[in-house]
Amino acid sequence: MSTSGSPTFVPPAARIAVFDNDGTLWCERPTYPQAFFIMERVRELAAADPELAALPVVQALVRGDLRAATAGGLEPLGEIVTRAHAGLTVEEFAEAASAWFGRAVHPRFGVGFGRLVYLPMLELLDLLRASGFRVFVVTGGGVEFVRAVSRELYGIPPDDVVGTSVELEVERRDGRLVLVRRATLIGRSNEGEPKPMNIQAHVGQRPIFAAGNSAGDREMLEYASTGPLPSLSIVIDHDDDEREYAYGSASFTDPGA
Amino acid sequence: MSTSGSPTFVPPAARIAVFDNDGTLWCERPTYPQAFFIMERVRELAAADPELAALPVVQALVRGDLRAATAGGLEPLGEIVTRAHAGLTVEEFAEAASAWFGRAVHPRFGVGFGRLVYLPMLELLDLLRASGFRVFVVTGGGVEFVRAVSRELYGIPPDDVVGTSVELEVERRDGRLVLVRRATLIGRSNEGEPKPMNIQAHVGQRPIFAAGNSAGDREMLEYASTGPLPSLSIVIDHDDDEREYAYGSASFTDPGA
């Protein structure tokens, strides 16, 4: 937790708060909810495509073994992740994500992933909004995946979610202009330095409040706490193995941090 | 003007309206306000840098001759445009843009560029907001340039402006994390197909209302009017040479359209 500057008047325009998602707003263990979503899709694709099914990373995903899936580094996994939903329109993807949230169940807690949000964090979102803040989710996860439930879970509309994005292609289908997902990311994953970069690209203002829980949030927290205005950056520490998980700030994407 | 679908209930979530800026919300003749802003900066840079001053496109800009500046195509011009403010932090750029809006005067009308917005369009923005719409500016111009005045001119906060963006770099200056503008664009200019692509990347929902005035808006208008919901796309026709300019939908960036 860090504060900077003296408590002066902050104009409403500058009241921007940013929240990481995985491990900050919702439970990210035993692995990211999006990983379960993608594993389900990869199982379907692999069943129809023997060549895909033969890839070691795909075999690991089909077994649900995320540690084995990342054994060759994050790149082969990232390739499969972006390939998994390529070719879908953005509307088809949003429907697939919503449908998955409606049926998938957490392996330990036996409830939907959307129910595994942290109540104290929801109270914090409400408190900030009541104090005139605009609240944004800034996730390393796929932006469209989180958007599918951001309003329902957090009261945050789709346009206030910033995340990792895939390239889109303009196509015409049945006389309609549609946007089709490609298998390549726009820039890098929204972790580390890209977080403040994408906050600026999307929000256009430096936040004065930031919450995160892992190394991928470091630059975002630093960005919020080194501006000219009073600010607050907080780090969520996972230390309750009984009610949730105890893992500090370790993350899959940067296990050594 | 085109409508599609039958008048059914539209949930609040889907009430997204998008507006082009140059020639749709504010006057874009004799050339884009941003071109004047950049010409001023290029004059300053050229005065201190003989090598830069020797480039034909820079000489044309120093003379204020935008037609000559585009004679070699848009690419050499685009290079100078992105170079003009490279190295500034995003805060420094915002200050430079605000200061310019405070002092620059339109060559024909003798008032600040910020005063050359179309009143009927402001009424339309208010009407849409009163009807529960979220209103976004989707400009081919630089996103940070328009953000500097979007709240003051249109009541639209910086995060609801989508536009052409330059790459940013994370640096530390005086112990602060700052974002520094680079001389390269992120992707393409926000004209044509990139407009719907960037609407999706930023807003995450298909608009049901769109307003534009030139060929660069075509795909955005088509995107808004070919969704599953009732929609309206409008094109502004400039036909009043006495009170403004008469040029139909011709544009500098796509003069043949």
Side-chain angles (χ1 to χ4, degrees), chain A residues 2 15 37 42 47 61-62 64 70 76 83 142 154 174 218 222 253:
Chain A
S2 72
R15 297 196 180 203
F37 170 65
V42 168
L61 287 173
V62 168
T70 55
R83 249 177 87 176
Y154 310 131
D174 303 324
R218 199 159 28 198
E222 184 187 348
T253 50

Side-chain angles (χ1 to χ4, degrees), chain A residues 123-137:
Chain A
E123 289 170 11
L124 179 53
L125 295 180
D126 284 341
L127 177 68
L128 287 166
R129 281 187 284 240
S131 308
F133 274 80
R134 296 280 317 277
V135 177
F136 294 81
V137 174

